[in-house]
């Protein structure tokens, strides 16, 4: 007990003290060695060995005038971060790719990079207006064989016309028929809280379409829907920096379709495939005039004539057993209507059948339970489409006309803004 202080024996204290002294000496010796001069001589005066190079003839470690090696320059000039390659079969040696994760180790690559549009949802037989098809097909072909032609080919095709006339839908039908896998943008992507972002996005999507042509061997194009809603200049609307950059980007693409930068350093070998651009809109007079000039944009005004409307609507109603003569009567009954009116007319006839189907599954109180929380093997009642007749179609048509007139006549905005001029 005399040799113990607070439960610790004296031999233990001496051992602990010696270990601390030894640890301090090691730290002191390390700090002294780390501060020695490394000008070229070791402790005994012998010269220090230079870092071993990969090879005396290797250029990987060679420095340029700025003191940067080859790998640094390669990384700064690259237009990707190597995520598009990964351990893909055929790109690197099979020894390193392996088979335990499949041929591509980057499992989500195809989903993350899928910005192109396919048209599996377009099931059925649809009518394509011959004039519309000729214009889109001719524009696409001219841009892909421009090197064979001794003419100036506009890069952009602007399709404009009244609302609801099927500009985008007809174009998608043509893409499906031609086997085109396009990159499709909307006007909502042409504005951002960060200046310059939409312009960069357009260039990236353009390069993506170019990669579809180069890597997949498929026809592709860049399509921007409702362009005038994104960069059009209307009364009392503010023109933003992004509006100007988007217009300038499209003009630059039309002038230099093979040199498209997304921020990397220019390289002579960085040549982009020429990709046709298709724009849709309602009023191109609101767009910056230099963008729509003839050298850059070929303009196509789409206003379906009576024959086109009858053919499109007949193909739409053909599966319901409606004859061509009945379609003509419907078009005569509701003249001066856009094509989307006749699609909405057919959709309106489904309302009664859907209400009956809701009652069959237990009413509106059971909708969430039956639609989202039903058991795996539990099946919903079969939905029976309504039988289309002239009476039901005409009744739905008059209902739509009544709603149109009610909107135009009521003008509730006047009730909230008393000082608004007529």
């Amino acid at each position: 007990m005399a040799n113990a202080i607070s439960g610790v024996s004296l031999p233990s204290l001496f051992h602990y003290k010696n270990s601390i002294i030894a640890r301090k000496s090691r730290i002191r010796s390390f700090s002294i060695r780390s501060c020695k001069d490394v000008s070229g001589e070791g402790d005994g005066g012998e010269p220090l060995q230079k870092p071993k190079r990969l090879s005396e003839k290797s250029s990987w470690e060679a420095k340029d005038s700025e003191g940067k090696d080859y790998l640094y320059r390669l990384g700064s000039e690259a237009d990707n971060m190597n995520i598009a390659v990964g351990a893909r079969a055929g790109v690197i040696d099979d020894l390193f790719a392996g088979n335990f994760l499949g041929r591509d180790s980057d499992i989500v690559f195809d989903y993350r990079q899928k910005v192109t549009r396919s048209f599996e949802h377009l099931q059925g037989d649809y009518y394509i207006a011959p004039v519309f098809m000729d214009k889109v097909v001719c524009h696409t072909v001219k841009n892909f064989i421009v090197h064979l032609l001794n003419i100036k080919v506009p890069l952009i095709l602007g399709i404009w016309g009244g609302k609801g006339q099927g500009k985008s839908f007809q174009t998608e039908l043509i893409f499906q028929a031609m086997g085109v896998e396009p990159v499709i943008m909307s006007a909502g992507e042409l504005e951002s809280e960060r200046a310059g972002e939409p312009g960069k996005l357009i260039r990236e999507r353009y390069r993506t379409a170019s990669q579809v042509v180069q890597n997949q061997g498929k026809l592709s194009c860049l399509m921007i829907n409702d362009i005038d809603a994104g960069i059009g200049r209307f009364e009392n609307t503010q023109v933003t920096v992004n509006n100007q950059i988007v217009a300038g980007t499209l003009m630059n693409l039309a002038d230099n379709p093979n040199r498209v930068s997304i921020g990397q350093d220019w390289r002579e070998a960085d040549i982009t495939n020429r990709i046709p651009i298709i724009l849709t809109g309602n009023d191109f007079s609101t767009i910056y005039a230099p963008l729509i000039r003839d050298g850059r944009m070929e303009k196509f005004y789409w206003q379906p004539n009576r024959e086109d409307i009858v053919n499109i609507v007949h193909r739409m109603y053909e599966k319901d057993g409606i004859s061509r003569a009945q379609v003509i009567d419907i078009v005569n009954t509701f003249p001066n209507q856009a094509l989307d009116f006749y699609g909405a007319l057919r959709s309106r006839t489904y309302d009664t059948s859907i209400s009956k189907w809701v009652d069959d599954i237990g009413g509106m109180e059971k909708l969430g339970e039956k639609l989202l929380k039903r058991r795996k093997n539990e099946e919903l009642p079969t939905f029976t489409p309504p039988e289309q007749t002239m009476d039901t179609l005409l009744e739905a048509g008059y209902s739509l006309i009544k709603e149109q007139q009610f909107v135009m006549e009521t003008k509730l905005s006047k009730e909230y803004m008393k000082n608004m001029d007529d």
Side-chain angles (χ1 to χ4, degrees):
M1 295 297 294
N3 293 332
I5 300 176
S6 301
V8 181
S9 62
L10 290 178
S12 299
L13 289 175
F14 288 129
H15 178 73
Y16 179 72
K17 180 179 180 181
N18 292 334
S19 64
I20 293 178
I21 294 174
R23 189 179 303 135
K24 287 184 177 180
S25 63
R26 287 197 299 268
I27 296 175
R28 189 180 300 112
S29 63
F30 174 78
S31 62
I32 294 173
R33 290 184 62 187
S34 64
C35 295
K36 283 186 69 67
D37 184 16
V38 291
S39 59
E41 294 183 355
D43 294 336
E46 69 277 5
L48 293 175
Q49 293 182 355
K50 295 181 179 180
K52 186 177 180 180
R53 293 173 56 90
L54 296 175
S55 171
E56 293 299 330
K57 298 181 179 180
S58 175
S59 62
W60 287 78
E61 298 170 302
K63 306 291 185 181
D64 60 8
S65 59
E66 299 177 358
K68 299 173 181 177
D69 59 16
Y70 174 77
L71 289 177
Y72 180 90
R73 294 293 300 273
L74 182 65
S76 65
E77 293 178 358
D79 57 354
N80 64 70
M81 297 301 294
N82 206 26
I83 62 172
V85 179
R88 300 179 67 82
V91 178
I92 67 171
D93 195 288
D94 292 339
L95 174 65
F96 303 102
N99 289 317
F100 54 92
L101 285 178
R103 302 305 294 172
D104 294 338
S105 66
D106 193 353
I107 300 173
V108 299
F109 171 80
D110 293 334
Y111 300 95
R112 185 175 62 244
Q113 299 292 328
K114 192 68 174 178
V115 297
T116 57
R117 182 76 61 86
S118 57
F119 303 101
E120 288 84 358
H121 64 283
L122 296 180
Q123 302 293 333
D125 190 15
Y126 297 93
Y127 176 84
I128 304 176
V131 177
F132 203 112
M133 175 177 280
D134 289 344
K135 183 61 67 173
V136 174
V137 172
C138 184
H139 176 75
T140 303
V141 172
K142 282 197 304 183
N143 275 277
F144 278 106
I145 65 169
V146 65
H147 59 284
L148 304 177
L149 307 176
N150 191 22
I151 57 175
K152 172 68 174 178
V153 178
L155 183 72
I156 304 174
L157 171 63
I159 304 174
W160 66 291
K163 58 181 177 62
Q165 299 294 0
K167 296 180 289 296
S168 299
F169 187 63
Q170 287 278 297
T171 306
E172 292 182 357
L173 291 176
I174 296 172
F175 289 159
Q176 185 188 44
M178 294 177 62
V180 176
E181 188 169 322
V183 177
I184 299 182
M185 299 179 61
S186 67
E189 298 177 273
L190 302 183
E191 190 55 77
S192 172
E193 64 275 7
R194 291 182 291 181
E197 192 69 23
K200 182 180 180 182
L201 181 63
I202 291 175
R203 295 192 296 273
E204 289 177 345
R205 297 286 175 82
Y206 184 90
R207 289 175 65 96
T208 299
S210 175
Q211 292 171 2
V212 171
V213 175
Q214 179 177 351
N215 300 337
Q216 302 182 30
K218 296 180 180 180
L219 293 175
S220 185
C221 71
L222 175 62
M223 182 176 179
I224 305 178
N225 287 315
D226 305 313
I227 185 70
D228 54 335
I231 63 173
R233 300 186 179 184
F234 301 93
E235 184 179 3
N236 299 326
T237 58
Q238 181 180 3
V239 178
T240 67
V241 172
N242 279 322
N243 295 155
Q244 298 172 332
I245 292 178
V246 167
T249 298
L250 291 173
M251 291 165 59
N252 180 257
L253 289 176
D255 296 338
N256 302 283
N258 299 114
R259 302 286 286 173
V260 183
S261 170
I262 55 173
Q264 80 279 9
D265 295 338
W266 285 113
R267 291 175 291 167
E268 292 300 325
D270 187 15
I271 302 299
T272 306
N273 292 291
R274 182 186 178 104
I275 298 297
I277 299 176
I278 297 179
L279 310 178
T280 65
N282 298 121
D283 188 1
F284 279 6
S285 66
T286 63
I287 299 177
Y288 185 53
L291 173 60
I292 65 173
R293 70 174 177 84
D294 294 331
R296 294 185 174 121
M297 179 187 295
E298 181 178 0
K299 293 164 286 294
F300 172 56
Y301 178 71
W302 169 239
Q303 179 64 46
N305 55 33
R306 177 183 169 81
E307 187 69 15
D308 292 327
I309 293 176
V310 170
N311 289 330
I312 294 174
V313 176
H314 177 234
R315 195 65 61 86
M316 188 188 308
Y317 289 173
E318 193 174 18
K319 61 178 71 71
D320 298 323
I322 303 297
S323 66
R324 183 181 177 85
Q326 291 175 316
V327 169
I328 294 176
D329 291 339
I330 294 174
V331 174
N332 291 336
T333 304
F334 306 108
N336 303 322
Q337 293 291 338
L339 282 171
D340 61 353
F341 171 85
Y342 303 101
L345 187 152
R346 182 173 179 270
S347 177
R348 179 65 69 91
T349 61
Y350 275 64
D351 291 356
T352 303
S353 298
I354 291 176
S355 298
K356 181 179 181 303
W357 185 81
V358 170
D359 293 337
D360 292 340
I361 66 175
M364 61 181 181
E365 296 84 1
K366 299 290 185 179
L367 278 178
E369 179 182 346
K370 294 295 184 180
L371 294 179
L372 304 178
K373 300 180 181 180
R374 68 180 186 276
R375 296 176 181 176
K376 184 176 181 180
N377 297 327
E378 183 181 359
E379 296 184 357
L380 294 172
T382 302
F383 176 76
T384 304
E387 181 181 356
Q388 301 289 3
T389 63
M390 280 294 295
D391 292 337
T392 57
L393 290 172
L394 292 176
E395 181 182 357
Y398 286 124
S399 175
L400 291 175
I401 292 293
K402 182 178 179 181
E403 293 291 343
Q404 290 179 353
Q405 294 175 346
F406 194 65
V407 170
M408 298 304 297
E409 293 173 358
T410 305
K411 293 184 179 179
L412 288 178
S413 59
K414 285 189 175 183
E415 297 296 326
Y416 301 102
M417 293 178 282
K418 299 293 186 180
N419 296 326
M420 187 179 68
D421 296 333
D422 293 332

